[in-house]
Amino acid sequence: MTGSHTSQRDPFGRRGLLVGAATTALTLSTVSFANAAAGEDGAAAPADRTRTVRGTLPTGSPDFVYLPVDVPAGVREIAVSYTYEKTSVPAGTQGNALDIGIFDERGTEPGGRGFRGWSGGARTEFFIRADEATPGYIAGPVRAGTWHIALGPYTVAPDGLPYEVTITLRSGAPGTTPKPVYPPDRAKGRGRAWYRGDCHLHSVHSDGRRTPAEIAAAARAAGLDFINSSEHNTCSAHGAWQGLWGDDLLILTGEEITTRNGHVLALSTDPGTFVDWRYRARDNRFGHYAKAVRRAGGLVVPAHPHATCIGCHWKFGFGEADAVEVWNGPYTPDDEIALAEWDNSLVAAVRASKPWLPAMGNSDAHRDPDVVGLPQTVVLADELSRDAIVAGIRAGHSYIAESSAVALSFGVSGGRGGHAGIGERLRADADTPVTVRLEVTGAPGCTAQFVTDEGTLFVSTLPESGSGTVEWRTTPAYAAYVRAEVRHPAAVPGLPGALAALTNPVFLGG
């Protein structure tokens, strides 16, 4: 590598502690390329110029540490690499983990226009130039000004987090940024029908290992009709699906907003939309960004709200949510907790006569052996289009299944020939007998059960084939809502079996 190479020792050199609308952030001393235009000692500028910064972040560091970089004119590419020490720690103590991303000369203001990419801890290096960028990063001109490398000390060991960041600027003609090609808003579909989708997927554009092409192929193999791109804290994948959609597959664009207090899907936002993630629950900023998701045409869906990973447990409440992911990947005890919490929210909604929150299920697939479409949300929509799928999810006209082999038909009838399907209300007097009916296919060895605001009131074993019809009679006075679950046999005596399928409720009365 040619060019100057200066090591800046930065034990905790800093320009100031910034406290704004978002959580606290630290800005380090600026990395200067003062001789970039003329080169060292007035000589011609070398093609590559490099600076390296070393330092140590102490325990209790802010969530975000910004390293300013003065980028001169004439730069066609900025390349960044970093390393940090993963020191040994006592049992039960968190070790070091350091994320990375970058903002351009437009600044680091939360919700601003300066975002140019984020890879979290998935990569140790990246580059940006006009015509191309590392997955997770946004291609475009490298304009002169102060850029900021964003370091995210996710966890810091008791002895601190030693790090090293190397920045390389490459001169040359700036190049041309191609216009991104985004997925269309609709596919051919089957008219009004039940459409299967997986709205939580990760590719090489964040911490996944599959390419978009591999995800599209896996979605088709799983019998899906739609998918949603949901990379961690970046929208770089939105333009990576060219040639992968078709009459049989609708591709929606979104983001998994990955905060320190939980993750949330921005589902089906306008292509190219980036939603900021740099806040905690105590900053009282989530409502602002939830509104930004909806302005971009998307849905706000808290993901795996009871996951046990650091920073994954949902702490923002559900007042701004449009739906909630109660089933994430292979069914686990934290999904059972999320399901119970969601069912309690249905009871609260009935009691207060307030809107209810629909449930979703998604795979959160990252790499093999993660199964795309385990589980999947099956949505009743007027057509296979972005607007129709979003409307169906928002209305709760959906159920969750472990695979495309499992299909449900669920509804309640009664009164004067009335009928209500999933997500609807059957209006009937309190003492009017109503019939709850569930048809199941593809669930051998499972049981079907009906759950109300009082709990599970009816359980029936399905035929050995896994296909059959179950009926139960009740009244609106006895059950404010009814929803269906199809479960596998319990793996541990006394505990519920894993779900094979789950419906949103049908409400009864008034």
Side-chain angles (χ1 to χ4, degrees), residues 357-380:
L357 195 63
M360 288 191 70
N362 302 296
S363 74
D364 199 2
H366 284 69
R367 60 187 68 81
D368 291 337
D370 298 351
V371 179
V372 173
L374 170 60
Q376 54 197 248
T377 299
V378 191
V379 184
L380 179 62

Side-chain angles (χ1 to χ4, degrees), residues 114-136:
F115 175 78
R116 290 297 292 270
W118 181 256
S119 49
R123 283 187 167 80
T124 59
E125 58 185 6
F126 63 86
F127 74 89
I128 295 173
R129 61 176 185 257
D131 62 336
E132 192 178 358
T134 299

Side-chain angles (χ1 to χ4, degrees), residues 113-444:
R113 300 176 60 193
F115 175 78
R116 290 297 292 270
W118 181 256
S119 49
R123 283 187 167 80
T124 59
E125 58 185 6
F126 63 86
F127 74 89
I128 295 173
R129 61 176 185 257
D131 62 336
E132 192 178 358
T134 299
Y137 294 80
I138 312 299
V142 181
R143 294 178 290 264
T146 301
W147 289 51
H148 288 81
I149 297 168
L151 301 175
Y154 202 66
T155 54
V156 179
D159 292 337
L161 194 162
Y163 66 89
E164 178 178 297
V165 179
T166 299
I167 308 105
T168 299
L169 304 184
R170 297 188 170 100
S171 301
T176 302
T177 303
K179 184 178 180 180
V181 178
Y182 295 129
D185 283 348
R186 67 180 62 240
K188 183 178 180 180
R190 305 180 298 277
R192 184 171 174 80
W194 291 92
Y195 293 103
R196 295 175 178 268
D198 189 344
C199 293
H200 191 166
L201 295 161
H202 295 281
S203 77
V204 294
H205 282 261
S206 58
D207 61 343
R209 293 294 179 266
R210 294 183 173 113
T211 64
E214 290 169 333
I215 290 175
R220 287 183 166 97
L224 300 182
D225 302 294
F226 66 93
I227 58 175
N228 178 71
S229 174
S230 56
E231 309 295 353
H232 293 285
N233 300 337
T234 183
C235 58
S236 70
H238 290 188
W241 300 92
Q242 188 172 5
L244 301 177
W245 57 78
D247 288 346
D248 62 331
L249 185 64
L250 174 71
I251 299 176
L252 309 175
T253 57
E255 178 185 336
E256 183 175 5
I257 306 166
T258 307
T259 80
R260 298 296 182 90
N261 287 158
H263 303 185
V264 57
L265 300 178
L267 195 162
S268 189
T269 48
D270 294 334
T273 297
F274 162 69
V275 185
D276 218 308
W277 79 102
R278 294 171 292 162
Y279 43 87
R280 294 196 187 204
R282 65 186 182 223
D283 299 317
N284 294 319
R285 296 295 289 163
F286 177 67
H288 170 81
Y289 292 105
K291 290 179 177 62
V293 171
R294 285 190 279 269
R295 282 196 303 271
L299 297 176
V300 177
V301 184
H304 46 67
H306 288 277
T308 56
C309 49
I310 297 172
C312 293
H313 198 281
W314 185 248
K315 297 182 183 297
F316 293 93
F318 297 93
E320 292 286 350
D322 298 305
V324 60
E325 187 183 75
V326 302
W327 183 355
N328 176 276
Y331 201 74
T332 57
D334 56 273
D335 295 314
E336 191 70 33
I337 295 170
L339 176 61
E341 181 181 58
W342 170 68
D343 189 75
N344 288 339
S345 79
L346 298 179
V347 175
V350 167
R351 183 176 64 246
S353 299
K354 290 184 176 180
W356 62 284
L357 195 63
M360 288 191 70
N362 302 296
S363 74
D364 199 2
H366 284 69
R367 60 187 68 81
D368 291 337
D370 298 351
V371 179
V372 173
L374 170 60
Q376 54 197 248
T377 299
V378 191
V379 184
L380 179 62
D382 289 335
E383 59 182 3
L384 186 53
S385 71
R386 174 190 174 190
D387 287 347
I389 293 297
V390 167
I393 294 171
R394 179 183 286 114
H397 297 157
S398 59
Y399 66 88
I400 309 167
E402 65 181 358
S403 75
S404 59
V406 180
L408 305 182
S409 176
F410 179 64
V412 182
S413 59
R416 299 178 180 178
H419 177 82
I422 300 172
E424 297 178 338
R425 176 176 291 275
L426 179 69
R427 299 195 178 277
D429 292 337
D431 58 353
T432 299
V434 300
T435 300
V436 182
R437 179 183 175 90
L438 172 68
E439 297 178 21
V440 182
T441 59

